[in-house]
DNA sequence: AAGGTTCTCTGACTAAAGTCAGAGGATGGA
DNA sequence: TCCATCCTCTGACTTTAGTCAGAGAACCTT
């Protein structure tokens, strides 16, 4: 990797941790240990099951229990057994707890303001824009791709969201039963594979490919969650599928798509797909694409 | 301040501390407590006086002493009295210490790489560019302005650097004695004032203004250190002087400058100065500028 | 109804990261 | 020379932020 880029990233890390870190301590770390503050924050207005809380913060159960006890004795939260399963307990903020949380929220705002405050208007606009870009790209870099079984809950979640979206977008609606959907077996190794993209453990996109021996590979069910768009994830999924297909000896990729999916169509074009005549009779398709795959000699782009 | 901007800053803080923080721990926090690692880092290749070390890291003397003892017993550093003042002690890394430090350095590089790794080439370029912008503007926001006496060591440091630079830049060289420099008294309240800009405590720029009662204020000795340019600091100094002059009842600003100082001339133009005929016989000046100052009703731009 | 599992809690620890109050040697100035 | 000051170190504490090993209640399956 480019050494100048690495230097810049390190300089960025230094400046940001120093500046944001110092201010963070000054504003937020005033009167309450960070552990408690994080809890207070994560519990939220609505309350939360203790085990969820533990999972989200990645903390030991004993430790969380003690922190909760401390919030309780300070009168900031109440912990009560859940109704349906009395092993699980639910934390809720008291009125006082909500006030305390609002205070933290205010401090976070002060912190943000104090970063912008010494700058003039155009500088502020530029800083905020650059922060948005960093935020977006770091988020993109946090997304992980994994091969999963098409019956995995995360895969199902993506597919259901995908179908729901197609139903909305297609002029004719969408009925999975009428479409040429591969059965799950075709997207399982060795007949194919299915990728799920995750952000912080949440599934936010998917793509499958059928790998019939001696025939073109066919990309199916590519979807990216609305909140995860514009992160280059579609391209990343395609790259990963192409690499894996090529590794499997495949030399041609195919796919079909509906005219309503304009941004997908743009992606296929810019990714090197050429429009070709219909190669199947998928009732929902208006466009058919094909791409010759080069030899699988280039490096994989991450997992 | 704009609420959308504040939201973006907070989102940025969250993403960055999460992503960089998690990786930071994973890469750097492996085998050595952070305290020791910070020391190891800060001591540097050349060695350092203990009190400087303490000052830079902002740590208690007892604590640093203990950390040093621990580095010594691990054979990573040696602590010896300074020659000229045997109260002061100097830390130096041993060979082993230097190796350990290089290891930390390598880890920092890995950390930076791992942030870029999942991205494709154009995304990397965009992320690095945005990081550079954030870095630059956060640095700009960290600069503080303070009114100091022109005899203060930081002021003198700036002035000496300023003269040295003029000597280099002016075709004719520069001899302070030949120039119409105000004596220090004219840049002291209430006859005027002198600002020093500092970054992490280091003086990196200055500007003075004479405030003769009933006459135009005159800006003098504006300088920004080479490493602190392109941060909008010149403009910030001018804004601050203008505000203070206006608060002092002054309605016109004046200044003279040399033709070699092209970026300063551009700044004066874009800041609303108009070129006017010579109003003094400064031997080193080629351009004279004037600006009408509006009423002092607008908000101050920070300190 | 029994036995295994899940969830939370308590007790007993540990390590890190400091803080505070001197002690004691070295130095500088009167 | 003597005294105040500077710099570093030591001893005695404290607070955070955990970890680990059960105990005990609730639940689920068979």
């Amino acid at each position: 990797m480019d050494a100048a880029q690495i230097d810049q990233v390190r300089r960025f890390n230094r400046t940001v941790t120093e500046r944001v870190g110092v201010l963070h301590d000054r504003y937020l770390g005033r009167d309450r240990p960070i552990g408690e503050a994080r809890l207070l924050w994560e519990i939220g207005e609505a309350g939360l099951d203790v085990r969820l809380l533990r999972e989200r913060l990645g903390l030991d159960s004993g430790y969380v229990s003690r922190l909760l006890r401390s919030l309780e004795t300070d009168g900031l939260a109440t912990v009560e057994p859940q109704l349906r399963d009395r092993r699980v307990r639910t934390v809720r903020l008291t009125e006082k707890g909500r006030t305390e949380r609002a205070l933290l929220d205010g401090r976070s705002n002060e912190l943000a303001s104090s970063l912008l405050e010494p700058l003039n208007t155009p500088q502020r606009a530029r800083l905020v824009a650059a922060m948005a870009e960093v935020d977006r790209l770091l988020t993109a870099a946090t997304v992980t791709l994994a091969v999963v079984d098409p019956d995995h809950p995360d895969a199902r979640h993506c597919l259901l969201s995908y179908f729901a979206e197609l139903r909305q977008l297609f002029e004719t609606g969408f009925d999975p039963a009428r479409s040429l959907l591969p059965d799950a077996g075709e997207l399982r190794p060795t007949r194919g594979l299915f990728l799920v993209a995750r952000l912080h453990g949440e599934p936010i996109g998917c793509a499958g490919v059928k790998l019939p021996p001696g025939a073109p590979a066919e990309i199916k069910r590519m979807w990216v969650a609305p909140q995860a768009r514009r992160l280059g994830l579609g391209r990343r999924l395609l790259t990963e599928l192409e690499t894996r297909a090529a590794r499997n000896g495949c030399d041609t990729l195919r796919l079909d798509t509906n005219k309503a999916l304009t941004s997908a169509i743009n992606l296929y074009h810019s990714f090197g797909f050429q429009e070709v005549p219909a190669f199947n009779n998928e009732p929902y398709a208006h466009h058919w694409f094909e791409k010759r795959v080069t030899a699988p000699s280039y490096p994989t782009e991450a997992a």
Side-chain angles (χ1 to χ4, degrees), chain A:
Chain A
M1 206 164 300
D2 185 344
Q5 290 192 327
I6 290 184
D7 275 2
Q8 177 56 65
V9 173
R10 289 185 63 175
R11 234 172 0 255
F12 169 87
N13 285 353
R14 207 156 41 235
T15 305
V16 166
T17 52
E18 183 185 303
R19 176 80 173 147
V20 177
V22 163
L23 291 173
H24 186 273
D25 295 350
R26 178 132 67 237
Y27 284 94
L28 302 182
R30 203 59 75 94
D31 37 10
R32 190 168 292 285
I34 323 175
E36 290 183 22
R38 285 175 72 199
L39 238 68
L40 209 50
W41 190 256
E42 200 63 36
I43 291 167
E45 292 295 318
L48 205 62
D49 287 355
V50 171
R51 63 167 169 190
L52 254 167
L53 192 59
R54 227 171 29 225
E55 194 188 325
R56 291 212 190 147
L57 296 172
L59 298 176
D60 175 85
S61 75
Y63 184 35
V64 168
S65 176
R66 237 175 292 271
L67 287 174
L68 287 176
R69 229 41 65 233
S70 143
L71 289 183
E72 264 187 328
T73 54
D74 287 3
L76 299 173
T78 56
V79 182
E80 283 174 353
Q82 214 195 42
L83 289 176
R84 38 172 69 180
D85 182 346
R86 300 219 316 287
R87 289 171 304 182
V88 180
R89 309 192 74 193
T90 305
V91 210
R92 250 174 267 282
L93 294 181
T94 61
E95 197 47 54
K96 193 174 162 199
R98 266 190 284 275
T99 311
E100 187 80 12
R101 188 166 179 277
L103 204 139
L104 285 178
D105 193 46
R107 294 253 186 90
S108 283
N109 280 342
E110 276 177 53
L111 163 62
S113 292
S114 76
L115 287 176
L116 296 177
E117 204 252 11
L119 300 175
N120 60 39
T121 308
Q123 283 179 318
R124 280 180 199 176
R126 285 211 305 279
L127 178 55
V128 171
M131 282 179 163
E133 180 92 342
V134 170
D135 186 18
R136 207 175 62 81
L137 288 162
L138 280 188
T139 302
T142 308
V143 173
T144 56
L145 302 188
V147 175
V148 303
D149 190 283
D151 281 334
H152 186 286
D154 287 350
R156 301 188 80 97
H157 167 85
C158 290
L159 289 172
L160 289 176
S161 312
Y162 173 56
F163 294 155
E165 198 171 335
L166 295 188
R167 218 163 20 246
Q168 296 251 322
L169 283 177
F170 291 1
E171 287 174 350
T172 56
F174 178 75
D175 173 11
R178 287 191 51 218
S179 167
L180 289 183
L181 287 167
D183 63 81
E186 287 183 285
L187 297 180
R188 252 185 213 119
T190 57
R191 295 175 61 200
L193 61 90
F194 195 74
L195 290 177
V196 163
R198 295 191 180 97
L199 179 60
H200 307 309
E202 298 279 297
I204 53 154
C206 64
V209 64
K210 294 199 289 185
L211 296 166
E218 194 174 341
I219 291 176
K220 287 289 195 186
R221 301 173 170 186
M222 189 167 97
W223 173 76
V224 174
Q227 78 274 17
R229 288 177 191 167
R230 322 278 329 142
L231 296 177
L233 185 49
R235 185 172 296 269
R236 195 161 151 212
L237 284 166
L238 286 180
T239 306
E240 186 68 21
L241 287 183
E242 178 178 316
T243 308
R244 287 174 181 270
R247 218 184 285 151
N248 219 53
C250 155
D251 65 350
T252 307
L253 290 178
R254 275 181 173 178
L255 59 86
D256 61 67
T257 193
N258 184 286
K259 66 181 176 191
L261 304 175
T262 50
S263 63
I265 293 171
N266 289 336
L267 170 61
Y268 299 139
H269 274 126
S270 85
F271 196 73
F273 276 92
Q274 309 282 335
E275 190 146 4
V276 295
F279 52 76
N280 65 17
N281 54 354
E282 163 64 46
Y284 291 106
H286 303 101
H287 301 279
W288 287 261
F289 287 94
E290 205 170 284
K291 181 184 182 181
R292 304 289 303 177
V293 175
T294 46
S297 58
Y298 46 78
T300 310
E301 192 191 351

